[in-house]
Amino acid sequence: YLSLVGICALAALLVSKLWNRLPLEISDTTFGTRSGRRALGTVLGAILLIFAFTTRGRSEIWSSELTLWGEAARNGGTWRAHMNYALALDNAGRADEALTEFKKAVELGPYAWAHLNLGLAYIRRADSEQGLSHLRTAVRLWPSSPDTHYYLGRGLDSTGDQKGAEAEYRRAIELRGNDVMALRSLAGLYERQGRRAEALASYRRLFELEPAKKEYGKKIRALEQVDDLAVSNSLFEQAFSAQREGNRARAIELYEELLTLDPNHRQGTFNLAYAYRNGTGDDWQRCAELFARVLEIDPGYSEALFHLASVSWKLERTEAAIKY
């Protein structure tokens, strides 16, 4: 602490003056030069020894974030002390203890970062209901923070709510235009959904912000493969043409080839599922798998949801049919 510099300087000055004023008479006691300096030296030595042991103890506490924040949290710590102690426990692999400390941080006041970290802890424990509740509270407490929106997006993404995750990532980018974490997550989301143009635009922007990251260049080159896209479009057109002409077998063959090249082709997957819908036996099983895959690519595709419900009913999966 900086104030100790002044205190130590003042103490040194007083000791120096006292040292030079010996012999000295205090009340009825007289201190000669030798005896006085010996007594003063003994007192100073004892003080130094006490300080040395205290310093050693404090150094052990300050040796790591775990011991430092643990000490702060145990001695009337604020919400931030408990939160940082929880983060240190989490890094040390002590997840259960970390969760307890995150809860204490939340109890000590309505702070966005406390709710955010508790929410992420619940998400890691696969408790999405509690996790998303705290993450949304963090956004409500600090709506202007790009971080609260980004981490809510991460939480929604982990539970499969891609539409909600996209909205939160976009909000984080709006609040902080060069938010690399949100851009990276958004680019990955677009890529998983097969939205090549949007993924490509996001990776190009990332590459502008972080030109040293070689993986962005690789992603861009892969997405710019015009030949693959041309082949994909050609296969889709041929398959669709065969399907309209009633050549079901040829349409299925071409759609399967298309999905080998582009597994995230939403319309190709949907059309293939519809082609299998006109078959029997194993075709219906494959049909259900494909309609489910369409919904993974685009959760908002209501027509695929309707057909998945119908196919589930055909397969006598009553509960699934009612659900869809």
Side-chain angles (χ1 to χ4, degrees):
Y1 301 101
L2 291 176
S3 58
L4 282 177
V5 175
I7 294 171
C8 290
L10 181 60
L13 179 63
L14 292 173
V15 169
S16 174
K17 286 185 175 296
L18 184 60
W19 186 274
N20 292 323
R21 288 189 64 183
L22 292 168
L24 184 67
E25 185 175 333
I26 300 175
S27 187
D28 296 330
T29 305
T30 301
F31 293 93
T33 302
R34 180 179 292 181
S35 61
R37 290 181 176 179
R38 188 182 296 119
L40 190 56
T42 302
V43 171
L44 291 173
I47 292 172
L48 267 172
L49 193 61
I50 292 168
F51 282 180
F53 277 108
T54 304
T55 300
R56 185 177 185 276
R58 296 303 296 172
S59 295
E60 289 178 357
I61 290 170
W62 281 73
S63 63
S64 71
E65 289 195 4
L66 186 61
T67 53
L68 174 61
W69 290 114
E71 177 78 2
R74 285 189 292 270
N75 288 278
T78 63
W79 71 273
R80 191 181 294 277
H82 284 284
M83 185 186 74
N84 286 332
Y85 183 37
L87 291 170
L89 286 167
D90 214 19
N91 289 334
R94 295 158 63 178
D96 290 340
E97 294 171 76
L99 186 65
T100 300
E101 292 299 321
F102 280 133
K103 288 178 181 178
K104 288 180 182 176
V106 166
E107 290 168 4
L108 289 171
Y111 299 102
W113 278 109
H115 280 281
L116 188 151
N117 281 291
L118 179 57
L120 292 175
Y122 276 123
I123 291 290
R124 287 193 293 271
R125 297 169 77 89
D127 188 343
S128 58
E129 183 178 351
Q130 287 266 37
L132 291 176
S133 173
H134 284 286
L135 290 173
R136 288 191 173 102
T137 300
V139 169
R140 178 176 56 79
L141 290 170
W142 197 0
S144 62
S145 167
D147 294 309
T148 57
H149 289 281
Y150 166 70
Y151 284 110
L152 175 56
R154 286 278 300 274
L156 292 167
D157 209 350
S158 70
T159 61
D161 185 355
Q162 294 182 336
K163 187 176 181 180
E166 181 182 352
E168 293 301 326
Y169 292 149
R170 284 182 171 277
R171 182 59 181 149
I173 293 166
E174 286 173 13
L175 291 167
R176 183 167 58 205
N178 294 335
D179 194 313
V180 172
M181 293 191 302
L183 267 171
R184 190 184 299 127
S185 296
L186 188 60
L189 178 64
Y190 287 148
E191 196 173 6
R192 294 197 306 273
Q193 291 179 334
R195 296 159 67 177
R196 291 189 177 192
E198 291 153 295
L200 186 57
S202 298
Y203 280 122
R204 282 174 176 161
R205 189 171 175 187
L206 280 167
F207 195 55
E208 289 174 4
L209 296 171
E210 295 184 313
K213 293 289 182 71
K214 295 181 180 179
E215 61 266 29
Y216 298 148
K218 291 179 181 178
K219 289 284 188 182
I220 291 168
R221 286 191 294 275
L223 290 167
E224 285 179 336
Q225 291 298 319
V226 179
D227 289 343
D228 282 354
L229 186 58
V231 171
S232 174
N233 289 337
S234 175
L235 282 170
F236 177 79
E237 288 171 6
Q238 292 177 58
F240 187 59
S241 177
Q243 196 169 20
R244 280 186 303 181
E245 292 169 2
N247 192 344
R248 176 174 170 272
R250 179 57 179 162
I252 288 175
E253 180 186 348
L254 290 167
Y255 280 132
E256 291 284 13
E257 187 179 347
L258 167 63
L259 296 189
T260 302
L261 179 66
D262 185 359
N264 293 319
H265 197 293
R266 188 195 72 165
Q267 200 57 44
T269 307
F270 180 90
N271 289 2
L272 177 59
Y274 200 85
Y276 276 118
R277 195 175 186 276
N278 295 324
T280 56
D282 292 340
D283 286 355
W284 282 89
Q285 177 62 38
R286 175 68 173 146
C287 174
E289 292 171 0
L290 287 165
F291 279 129
R293 175 60 185 147
V294 172
L295 290 170
E296 288 179 12
I297 298 168
D298 182 4
Y301 201 159
S302 58
E303 193 174 354
L305 190 62
F306 168 77
H307 285 297
L308 183 55
S310 299
V311 173
S312 298
W313 184 262
K314 178 73 174 180
L315 292 169
E316 298 182 354
R317 298 173 183 170
T318 308
E319 290 185 9
I322 291 171
K323 172 186 170 184
Y324 296 130

